[in-house]
Amino acid sequence: MKFIPLSKPYITDEIKKISKVLKSGWLTSGPKTEEFENKFARYVNAKHALAVATCTDALHISLASLNIKPGDEIITTPMTFIATSHIIEWLKARPVFVDIQEDTFNINPDKLFDAMTFKTKAIIPVHMAGHPCDMKEITKFSKANNLSVIEDAAHAPGAEYKDKKIGSLSYATCFSFYATKNMTTGEGGMITTNEDIKDKLQKLSYFGIDKEAYKRYDKKGKWYYEVDSLGYKCNMDSIHAAIGIEQLKKLDSFNKRRRKIAELYTEELEDTGIITPIEKPYVKSSWHLYIIRLPKSINRAKFIDNMAKNNVGCSVHFLPIHLHPYYRKKYGFKKGDFPVAEKVYENMVSLPIYPLMSNGDVEYVIKTIKRCLK
Ligand SMILES: *Cc1c(COP(=O)(O)O)cnc(C)c1O
């Protein structure tokens, strides 16, 4: 009996493309990176894209590009991966959490106003599980209050909000190509934007130097550079970019398969006492995760354990950020601060979902769930 993991990458022609880059003699950022950026920008219909080493870096330098000062406040959701709030900490700013909507697990726009102070500079909404946030409300609020929006779209490449691809709606949108995400480069990330900030972001991604390395070392380029601002080091190399170009070609078919798997799950699990995930009529989810909520009578830890014993890998996304000891200690957060996120966390379980999953695999997972509920 094979194990059905939570997620698995789908790799085919990538191997040939990597070896081509390796033989080319140019390994770091270069024309391949630019090709990936251009193709990704076109895909999400954004003016610019900058490929970086991880989505965490994408979020970090997008926020840094706003000249965030120590003590500035950044609004985000507690229902996310630790990266979203750690990058706020890295810049010595303060994460201010706003509770989520129970049906989408996304930040609740109705609660933004109460979280705002004169120190608030930006909002980082997270498209949880690939279901886009209520961007109309978030955009309206940010415009009215002169705040920048940086979307954490780690789960949402290919997702749509009102027929528009996520990636063209805000100051900056950050994507992840981590091994488990909808498309992968192993590790990797991308920032897309319609603002003229690509040069600024590129500088931030490379020590504050304003020319890409490959142009500097090219015979046409200059050997001289100077640095007038602090930058980081998170450029994407050609090897990762070559993988990304191939994965992007398959992204729509990956997401189509994810949607099909989600439909199969929902059809079979609706009448079991489990709460199945929803999709609002004005969005198209990228179905990065399929998150169910268990009936009250079921012990989650035991359930996940039982599933694993039956060769099905499940997980939990996520322990709300404010309950991590680092944030509890630093800001005095406690249980009860964000009751909706906490309530959802208590019984949420992520089921396997990835394009390589066969219908037979899905049926097996469903059968196993039904058995483990008894
Ligand atoms: C995976 C993830 C990230 C970080 O992405 P990396 O590419 O691993 O840095 C950020 N936010 C969310 C919500 C994620 O799930």
Side-chain angles (χ1 to χ4, degrees), residues 7-14 36 40 43 129 155-159 165 176-186 242-263 284-289 352-359 362:
S7 154
K8 198 192 271 183
Y10 192 124
I11 302 293
T12 50
D13 288 343
E14 287 80 356
F36 183 31
F40 198 88
Y43 177 78
H155 299 179
K165 285 256 158 56
S176 174
F177 310 131
Y178 181 69
T180 60
K181 299 284 159 71
N182 287 46
M183 59 173 274
T184 183
T185 59
I243 305 171
I245 292 165
E246 288 310 299
Q247 289 272 302
L248 181 59
K249 286 184 197 162
K250 295 183 279 199
L251 179 60
D252 282 340
S253 66
F254 286 171
N255 284 348
K256 209 170 137 195
R257 180 63 192 155
R258 285 176 177 277
R259 168 171 299 276
K260 181 70 197 165
I261 294 165
E263 281 166 7
K284 209 169 148 192
S285 177
S286 54
W287 291 104
H288 172 57
L289 299 170
I353 186 164
Y354 51 91
L356 277 173
M357 232 182 141
S358 69
N359 286 359
V362 181

Side-chain angles (χ1 to χ4, degrees), residues 65-182:
S65 77
L66 296 172
N67 304 315
I68 296 300
K69 302 271 180 308
D72 283 349
E73 293 178 2
I74 313 298
I75 293 176
T76 190
T77 166
M79 184 50 75
T80 183
F81 181 55
I82 200 81
T84 321
S85 64
H86 268 20
I87 59 110
I88 300 170
E89 290 285 306
W90 290 353
L91 293 169
K92 309 248 180 307
R94 184 189 180 98
V96 174
F97 299 110
V98 165
D99 211 350
I100 59 170
Q101 302 168 320
E102 191 168 344
D103 55 352
T104 64
F105 311 152
N106 284 331
I107 195 164
N108 188 340
D110 299 337
K111 294 185 179 165
L112 289 172
F113 184 79
D114 287 340
M116 204 181 55
T117 74
F118 65 92
K119 288 182 185 164
T120 310
K121 291 286 150 54
I123 308 175
I124 309 182
V126 178
H127 305 302
M128 185 60 189
H131 188 295
C133 292
D134 194 344
M135 291 312 295
K136 183 167 159 248
E137 290 304 311
I138 291 169
T139 306
K140 200 167 86 187
F141 181 84
S142 65
K143 284 203 170 129
N145 297 289
N146 200 22
L147 308 175
S148 301
V149 177
I150 296 170
E151 292 167 63
D152 181 337
H155 299 179
E160 291 176 19
Y161 179 80
K162 296 195 172 159
D163 298 323
K164 277 191 181 151
K165 285 256 158 56
I166 292 298
S168 64
L169 305 171
S170 303
Y171 171 78
T173 306
C174 302
F175 296 91
S176 174
F177 310 131
Y178 181 69
T180 60
K181 299 284 159 71
N182 287 46

